[in-house]
Amino acid sequence: MTAVTLTAPPALAPLLARGALRSPFKRPAPDAAFPRTRLVLPGVRVDLVKLAAYERVCGFPTGEPDLPVTYPHVLGFPLAMRLMSGRDFPLPLLGLVHTSIEIVRGTALAADGEYELSVRVDGLAPHRRGTQAAVVTELRSGGTAVWESRSTYLARHRTGPGASPEPRREAGARLPVVAEWSLAGDVGRRYGTASGDRNPIHLYPLTARLFGFPRAVAHGMWTVARCLAAHRIPDATGVRARFRSPVLLPGTVAYGADGSGRFELRGGGGRVCVEGEVWAK
């Protein structure tokens, strides 16, 4: 894998536009070639104003000395978009669905620290509904890896008879409801401003309907961040979350947790939107 060192974070708007324009010409397949480039951005410092906006929209306390456990994903997002909007990334950016994320944090991360950030595509895999890509983001401090995430993104397309079936998920008992949250219609716009992720499905009912949704849809990373803001997170921790169904905006959701580290977010009719677990490292 070739390492490419950047001098500044890529501008998101041109990348998102480029990815959208190239989407109709992509031919996703599990055996397609994918970028073998690892993008590296040294000397990363957090913009504390943007961090405070992120903390407010996600429900984290503001002004804390350490970063929320999900915030390095935001730092890595422009690098991930540079890879995923390129000609050599085989999945179309439009319609790509974030299906899961796993985070490992070795220690609390100082909000005023300096870090090296890197992002790479770790591979493609067949899925019963299409092709899934894994994207790995890593944060290093003083040469030591302190945070890493692995996200999976699904491009839906027709699959052949040899496609791997999705493991059957047992219907578990609902976790005890800890809180109910009423979500305003502008949550997607507020999170998009704080994170830079301005995918049109998250912004307005009209733009969401263009992609088959009846209303705007909350960002998956906002839903997991909102859950973790209500959860006790150890300094050295692991987090795993799966995005099961969209959270429509506006709407009401129920946050559940059982004290063992498991959590979930349920929408209308009790359907599971997000489920996950937290553990101490």
Side-chain angles (χ1 to χ4, degrees), residues 69-70 72-73 98-105 133-139 147-153 221 224 228 237-243 263 275-279 281:
V69 66
T70 47
H73 176 87
H98 195 180
T99 53
S100 73
I101 186 168
E102 184 168 341
I103 296 170
V104 175
R105 182 175 69 180
V135 178
V136 174
T137 301
E138 185 183 71
L139 208 63
W147 186 98
E148 184 178 282
S149 74
R150 181 183 178 89
S151 283
T152 56
Y153 296 91
M221 284 306 299
V224 72
L228 294 175
T237 189
V239 176
R240 185 181 297 113
R242 292 162 293 277
F243 307 113
F263 64 88
E275 61 181 8
E277 50 270 346
V278 177
W279 64 92
K281 294 291 292 179

Side-chain angles (χ1 to χ4, degrees), residues 1-18:
M1 182 166 285
T2 304
V4 174
T5 301
L6 307 179
T7 57
L12 269 171
L15 294 177
L16 294 171
R18 184 177 74 182

Side-chain angles (χ1 to χ4, degrees), residues 178-263:
V178 176
E180 288 193 353
W181 300 320
S182 180
L183 309 182
D186 67 347
V187 164
R189 297 191 291 278
R190 290 173 57 212
Y191 183 83
T193 298
S195 68
D197 184 354
R198 293 184 173 86
N199 186 321
I201 68 171
H202 303 304
L203 303 181
Y204 298 98
L206 178 59
T207 54
R209 282 197 290 271
L210 295 175
F211 296 91
F213 296 97
R215 304 198 299 277
V217 176
H219 295 72
M221 284 306 299
W222 178 86
T223 62
V224 72
R226 185 65 187 90
C227 289
L228 294 175
H231 206 95
R232 190 183 182 115
I233 308 293
D235 287 348
T237 189
V239 176
R240 185 181 297 113
R242 292 162 293 277
F243 307 113
R244 297 296 187 188
S245 60
V247 173
L248 298 177
L249 302 171
T252 299
V253 292
Y255 163 68
D258 65 359
S260 72
R262 293 191 303 150
F263 64 88

Side-chain angles (χ1 to χ4, degrees), residues 9 46-57 71 74-75 193-196:
V46 173
D47 183 323
L48 298 181
V49 173
K50 291 182 179 178
L51 173 61
Y54 175 89
E55 290 168 332
R56 283 192 294 270
V57 71
Y71 196 70
V74 172
L75 299 177
T193 298
S195 68

Side-chain angles (χ1 to χ4, degrees), residues 64-154:
E64 293 292 304
D66 301 322
L67 296 175
V69 66
T70 47
Y71 196 70
H73 176 87
V74 172
L75 299 177
F77 185 69
L79 279 67
M81 286 300 101
R82 173 162 163 172
L83 290 174
M84 296 164 74
S85 64
R87 291 184 188 278
D88 54 352
F89 185 72
L91 309 187
L93 199 58
L94 284 181
L96 207 59
V97 179
H98 195 180
T99 53
S100 73
I101 186 168
E102 184 168 341
I103 296 170
V104 175
R105 182 175 69 180
T107 185
L109 306 177
D112 60 355
E114 183 175 308
Y115 301 97
E116 180 187 89
L117 182 68
S118 68
V119 177
R120 70 183 190 274
V121 178
D122 201 40
L124 305 178
H127 186 281
R128 71 181 182 90
R129 293 181 178 172
T131 298
Q132 198 161 253
V135 178
V136 174
T137 301
E138 185 183 71
L139 208 63
R140 302 179 75 87
S141 177
T144 301
V146 292
W147 186 98
E148 184 178 282
S149 74
R150 181 183 178 89
S151 283
T152 56
Y153 296 91
L154 173 66

